Each structure stands twice: as structure tokens, then as C-alpha cells.
């Protein structure tokens, strides 16, 4: 995706996401996950290189007694660069598109699964998890991992759409699905690592207004690795 072709490409992807073909939608969600991975590997990496200033490193190496001042200056510059990088991510066409997909399309997939589960409970019938829903959850997890750490990021979008309450009900229906438990646990871990100023409020919401965290502690992976 590049240049003036972005809008047309996004429109084509959207048309597939709202189709009635489950296999088609699953393939598109997998494609979106790969696009996000490619963005992480290439575009974000290029931006880190472009904003790096090697002259400061050189000055610090040869500065002697002034190295402390230069270290503080570089730390300040690194923080400015990080803010600039997050701003670039926030303003990227891909993030804006992914955010709309999560808000308007993926959230509906979650709610649809929730409704199907309630119908299955009432009719006392079994409802398979399905490959489409696995792809949906994996797409959400990858989005929350890459597009996070700033105001109105993907994690905030998930909370605003009340998706975690639906996810709890779905997890409760499939308590033995390792892939579902592991992916949702990663999603929770992404929020904790995001360094977004809103993280405390997000965690308060998850702990007080949903049953998701106690469920994951009881049924999910026994250890959640959080990067320091």
C-alpha cells in the first residue's frame, strides 16, 4: 500500500471484511495481521533510524568529564524522538484504517459471536469456536501490540467499544481453548506494557467493571511475562 492507492486498497479490504464469506473474512484478517507485522518490521524501524543522531553518541564517547551533561541531553532527545515516533504511528494511514476496522467491523464480529453463544446456550446446542474468530482475536492482539502507547490507541478503542465484556463471555464458553486464552492474555499484557497515560484507568476498568482478569488468572497461562 502506498501513496494515492491507499484509499482504494482500504476500500477493497473493507468490502471483503463486510462480506458474508467467512473464509474470505478470515483470510483478510490474516492479511491485515501481516500488514501490521510488516509495518512494525520496516516502517517503524526506518523512522527510528531517521530520528537517531549519531553525533551525540560520538560526543559522549570523547567528552570526558562532560559526559553526564551529554547523557542527560541525549536522554531528553531520546524522549522527544520517542514522542515523535508515536506521533508518526498515530498519524499513519494504516493505524487510522485499523482503528476504523476495530471500531466499526471487528467489534461487530465480537458482538455477533456473543449473540451466537447466547442462542446456543438457549437451544442447548454446541457452537464451534471457528477459524474466523481465532483470526479476529489474533488481529486484535497484534493491533493492540503495535498501535499503542498514545492517546486513543487501539487498546483505548477496545475499551470504549466494551469489547472486553463480550470477550469474557466468549472465553467462559470456551474455557479449554488454549489459543483463545493465550491470545487474550497477550492482549491484557499489551495494555500493561503500552506505557499509555491511560493505562491505570484501563486496568481499573478491567478489574472493576469486567470479570476478565479473575478468569484469566484462573484459566489462562500461569505466567504473564511483562517487559520492563
Amino acid at each position: 500500500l502506498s501513496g494515492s492507492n491507499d484509499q482504494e486498497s482500504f476500500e477493497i479490504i473493507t468490502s471483503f471484511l463486510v462480506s458474508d464469506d467467512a473464509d474470505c473474512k478470515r483470510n483478510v484478517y490474516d492479511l491485515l495481521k501481516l500488514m501490521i507485522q510488516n509495518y512494525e518490521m520496516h516502517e517503524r524501524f526506518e523512522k527510528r533510524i531517521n530520528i537517531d543522531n549519531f553525533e551525540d553518541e560520538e560526543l559522549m564517547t570523547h567528552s570526558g568529564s562532560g559526559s553526564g551533561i551529554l547523557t542527560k541531553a541525549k536522554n531528553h532527545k531520546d524522549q522527544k524522538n520517542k514522542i515523535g515516533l508515536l506521533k508518526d504511528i498515530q498519524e499513519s494511514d494504516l493505524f487510522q484504517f485499523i482503528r476504523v476496522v476495530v471500531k466499526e467491523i471487528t467489534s461487530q464480529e465480537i458482538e455477533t459471536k456473543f449473540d451466537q453463544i447466547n442462542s446456543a446456550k438457549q437451544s442447548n446446542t454446541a457452537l464451534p469456536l471457528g477459524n474466523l474468530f481465532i483470526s479476529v482475536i489474533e488481529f486484535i492482539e497484534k493491533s493492540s501490540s503495535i498501535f499503542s502507547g498514545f492517546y486513543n490507541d487501539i487498546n483505548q478503542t477496545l475499551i470504549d467499544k466494551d469489547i472486553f465484556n463480550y470477550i469474557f463471555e466468549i472465553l467462559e464458553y470456551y474455557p479449554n481453548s488454549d489459543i483463545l486464552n493465550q491470545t487474550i492474555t497477550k492482549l491484557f499484557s499489551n495494555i500493561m506494557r503500552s506505557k499509555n497515560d491511560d493505562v491505570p484507568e484501563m486496568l481499573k476498568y478491567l478489574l472493576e467493571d469486567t470479570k476478565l482478569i479473575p478468569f484469566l488468572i484462573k484459566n489462562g497461562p500461569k505466567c504473564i511475562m511483562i517487559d520492563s
Side-chain angles (χ1 to χ4, degrees):
L1 298 175
S2 62
S4 60
N5 293 326
D6 284 2
Q7 187 65 32
E8 182 180 353
S9 300
F10 290 150
E11 289 175 357
I12 293 172
I13 290 172
T14 301
S15 69
F16 288 131
L17 285 175
V18 297
S19 73
D20 294 326
D21 189 325
D23 287 336
C24 177
K25 289 193 287 187
R26 175 176 59 83
N27 289 332
V28 173
Y29 275 114
D30 290 342
L31 172 64
L32 287 174
K33 188 174 70 172
L34 291 174
M35 287 171 62
I36 296 170
Q37 289 174 339
N38 185 71
Y39 177 88
E40 177 188 25
M41 291 173 60
H42 299 290
E43 187 163 347
R44 285 184 64 173
F45 180 70
E46 286 180 11
K47 290 183 185 302
R48 288 193 185 99
I49 292 176
N50 290 338
I51 63 178
D52 198 14
N53 188 332
F54 296 100
E55 292 181 0
D56 279 1
E57 288 283 357
E58 190 174 338
L59 282 169
M60 289 173 64
T61 303
H62 298 91
S63 61
S65 60
S67 61
I69 297 174
L70 287 170
T71 299
K72 290 180 181 178
K74 186 173 189 303
N75 288 340
H76 177 71
K77 186 176 78 68
D78 286 345
Q79 183 64 24
K80 279 187 65 178
N81 288 345
K82 181 179 178 182
I83 293 171
L85 176 62
L86 290 175
K87 188 172 184 293
D88 286 336
I89 296 170
Q90 189 177 17
E91 294 178 352
S92 70
D93 290 341
L94 183 58
F95 165 70
Q96 297 297 332
F97 176 67
I98 294 299
R99 186 165 177 264
V100 170
V101 169
V102 170
K103 284 181 64 177
E104 306 299 336
I105 302 175
T106 310
S107 61
Q108 290 298 315
E109 291 284 355
I110 301 289
E111 291 182 36
T112 296
K113 193 68 173 181
F114 171 79
D115 291 339
Q116 290 173 343
I117 287 173
N118 282 334
S119 296
K121 288 178 179 177
Q122 292 173 5
S123 61
N124 198 27
T125 57
L127 179 70
L129 179 59
N131 291 329
L132 169 58
F133 192 76
I134 292 173
S135 293
V136 167
I137 292 296
E138 289 179 340
F139 158 73
I140 290 176
E141 188 279 318
K142 178 57 68 175
S143 300
S144 82
S145 173
I146 304 306
F147 298 118
S148 69
F150 48 84
Y151 180 69
N152 273 342
D153 63 7
I154 292 297
N155 293 312
Q156 186 62 56
T157 302
L158 295 172
I159 286 176
D160 289 344
K161 295 296 293 186
D162 209 24
I163 283 177
F164 287 103
N165 272 316
Y166 293 111
I167 285 178
F168 164 72
E169 298 288 345
I170 295 168
L171 268 175
E172 192 177 40
Y173 188 78
Y174 302 105
N176 298 319
S177 173
D178 289 339
I179 187 169
L180 193 57
N181 274 289
Q182 290 170 9
T183 306
I184 299 303
T185 300
K186 287 181 182 178
L187 186 56
F188 171 59
S189 175
N190 292 343
I191 293 177
M192 295 184 67
R193 294 179 312 188
S194 70
K195 296 180 174 61
N196 187 330
D197 291 340
D198 295 323
V199 165
E201 286 300 316
M202 292 183 189
L203 294 177
K204 182 180 178 182
Y205 161 80
L206 290 171
L207 287 167
E208 296 181 0
D209 297 339
T210 79
K211 300 176 183 178
L212 181 60
I213 304 304
F215 183 89
L216 286 174
I217 292 173
K218 181 179 179 181
N219 299 281
K222 300 305 179 186
C223 179
I224 302 176
M225 299 300 295
I226 306 296
D227 294 340
S228 58

